[in-house]
Amino acid sequence: MTKQRIAIANYAEIPNRLKTGRSAYDLAGEALAALLAKSGLALEEIDGLSVTAALSEGTNPFLAAYMCEALGLSPTWLNLSGTGGCSALSGVMSAVSAVREGRCRIAVVLSADAPSTNYRADFGAQRPEFQEPQAAGRPPAAFGLLMCRYAHQYGLKEEALAKVAMVQRGHAVLNDNALPKLRTPLTLEEYKASRVVADPLRLLDSVMFCDGANALVVTSEDEARRRGWSKLAIPTAFAEITNFNGREPLADITESGFGHLAPRLFAQAGMSPAQVRMFQPYDDFTIAVQMQLEQLGFCERGQGAKFILDTDLTHQGKLPLNTGGGQISAGQPGLAGGALNLVEGVRQLFGEGGLRQVAGARNALVTGIGVIPYGRNWSTSAAMILEAA
């Protein structure tokens, strides 16, 4: 028996803003209202909800339930996703399973965060004992160390990292939802003049925290067609791994879970990296984009810089990269940033990219990165291939 196809059938995203003074609940309400207006859904028709954990709400184990109370929802399926920048991707796949199993009919994957207003993250675990005393409590320090190790093994090409930042900035200029202060073109000279934050990582290699929210509808293809939703994005492949190489006493920190999951991801989709029409990777730092290109099979290890310099990554090019500007140039709305590039991939597959629309947008590869462990690469790696239906 053929499995029922489950689709992302609608989306909404509010503009990224700095220091709104609002809570994640409030921003989520704005995103949900935009989703209802865009989709024609009634609030009572939503019977499934996946909520992304939020830095601005601290380590709140009841966030998903409180979100239902705040928004007036009464779902028959509820999920709290807590894998950092992978949360939205994992939330979508959990919603796919819930719809397929009949636990709900219309699921919403909702991500909202306000870390530029209220940063309440308490990571716990090993951080207070090992990382924070060494001033490595925040991601830039960890990624600075990662870049140092990568440079030792393969060398760094500043021009390649600059190109990632400049291409994505060019896309953000065309994105009305990007932070206004980032909606100006970026030059190589400006990139090189930006201050070093955690040697060799520069300020313009990094994201800027902001407040924002987004939402996606997950339902069966049959239900979507019945409602007249003619634009659909089908998740045709998904792979995820957490704590890759976690038991190795001296792991290579330049090796992430993407190298492990790539073969099964592309096998599920029945395609190769060369057939990917656009790449929407999680991009908290430019080096993460370069490493994902290598480990997902677009090029060999250590050849990411050459691939970047040799490839047209603009929305008109061979491999369009983060066509909404990514988090680096649109802003990172905390852990809701994990859905930023996912929403952009869906937008492109729907043909709603406006001036940055990718021609022949038939598929998209979207990734997530989550959690920074001690003495390792990022903890969770997740990747999804979407196809237009």
Side-chain angles (χ1 to χ4, degrees):
M1 185 172 68
T2 304
K3 276 188 177 180
Q4 178 181 214
R5 290 213 306 180
I6 311 299
I8 298 175
N10 235 301
Y11 69 91
E13 177 184 75
I14 65 173
N16 287 335
R17 306 163 185 144
L18 286 172
K19 299 181 179 179
T20 61
R22 298 164 63 186
S23 69
Y25 300 104
D26 189 8
L27 295 167
E30 184 181 350
L32 183 61
L35 182 68
L36 297 179
K38 186 173 185 291
S39 66
L41 272 172
L43 190 67
E44 58 270 17
E45 292 181 291
I46 299 170
D47 57 356
L49 181 68
S50 179
V51 178
T52 294
L55 295 171
S56 59
E57 300 304 321
T59 52
N60 182 354
F62 308 113
L63 178 65
Y66 289 157
M67 190 66 76
C68 292
E69 182 181 357
L71 301 179
L73 294 169
S74 301
T76 57
W77 171 77
L78 181 63
N79 178 58
L80 176 62
S81 193
T83 50
C86 299
S87 297
L89 291 177
S90 295
V92 166
M93 293 313 297
S94 295
V96 166
S97 296
V99 171
R100 185 169 282 143
E101 293 166 5
R103 298 182 64 189
C104 61
R105 188 169 48 99
I106 304 285
V108 168
V109 178
L110 184 61
S111 303
D113 207 348
S116 74
T117 288
N118 188 23
Y119 186 85
R120 295 177 56 202
D122 178 14
F123 296 105
Q126 79 291 329
R127 287 195 175 192
E129 185 176 0
F130 293 107
Q131 287 179 252
E132 290 167 9
Q134 307 303 321
R138 294 290 182 93
F143 274 82
L145 290 171
L146 177 58
M147 287 177 75
C148 283
R149 182 60 190 174
Y150 184 95
H152 174 75
Q153 292 184 197
Y154 304 113
L156 275 180
K157 289 189 178 179
E158 194 172 39
E159 290 76 10
L161 299 176
K163 183 176 177 180
V164 170
M166 291 187 297
V167 166
Q168 295 194 183
R169 182 68 71 87
H171 292 151
V173 169
L174 304 175
N175 182 2
D176 291 341
N177 287 337
L179 281 173
K181 70 181 301 178
L182 296 178
R183 293 190 62 203
T184 56
L186 175 67
T187 66
L188 179 59
E189 291 70 27
E190 287 172 327
Y191 171 86
K192 288 185 174 182
S194 66
R195 65 184 174 89
V196 173
V197 177
D199 194 19
L201 186 142
R202 294 185 176 278
L203 182 67
L204 290 177
D205 287 313
S206 315
V207 294
M208 181 186 293
F209 264 167
C210 61
D211 302 350
N214 45 67
L216 298 137
V217 172
V218 176
T219 191
S220 69
E221 184 176 17
D222 290 346
E223 180 70 23
R225 301 295 187 201
R226 186 180 70 79
R227 291 174 174 272
W229 294 335
S230 58
K231 300 174 182 178
L232 304 177
I234 309 292
T236 57
F238 178 75
E240 178 183 283
I241 186 169
T242 296
N243 199 33
F244 175 70
N245 282 343
R247 290 190 296 274
E248 292 191 14
L250 193 61
D252 180 352
I253 66 169
T254 65
E255 286 295 319
S256 74
F258 286 109
H260 173 83
L261 63 80
R264 56 194 173 99
L265 177 79
F266 288 111
Q268 283 179 46
M271 60 188 292
S272 69
Q275 294 171 290
V276 172
R277 182 64 188 98
M278 69 186 106
F279 188 35
Q280 310 281 359
Y282 192 90
D283 63 315
D284 46 356
F285 300 95
T286 56
I287 189 63
V289 175
Q290 181 172 318
M291 291 175 61
Q292 288 176 79
L293 285 167
E294 294 176 7
Q295 296 183 25
L296 286 165
F298 290 95
C299 57
E300 297 297 322
R301 296 289 198 279
Q303 296 299 305
K306 184 178 187 304
F307 180 87
I308 289 167
L309 293 172
D310 290 347
T311 306
D312 186 347
L313 303 173
T314 69
H315 69 280
Q316 298 172 319
K318 180 181 179 181
L319 184 65
L321 173 69
N322 280 336
T323 51
Q327 298 173 91
I328 287 174
S329 284
Q332 185 187 57
L335 298 184
L340 203 71
N341 302 345
L342 173 58
V343 167
E344 176 65 16
V346 173
R347 181 185 288 114
Q348 289 284 342
L349 293 177
F350 283 13
E352 298 174 357
L355 294 175
R356 63 186 189 275
Q357 179 62 46
V358 174
R362 59 189 178 275
N363 65 52
L365 172 54
V366 186
T367 69
I369 290 173
V371 191
I372 298 177
Y374 180 68
R376 292 289 188 277
N377 203 292
W378 52 81
S379 180
T380 301
S381 300
M384 177 184 291
I385 294 176
L386 295 168
E387 294 188 3

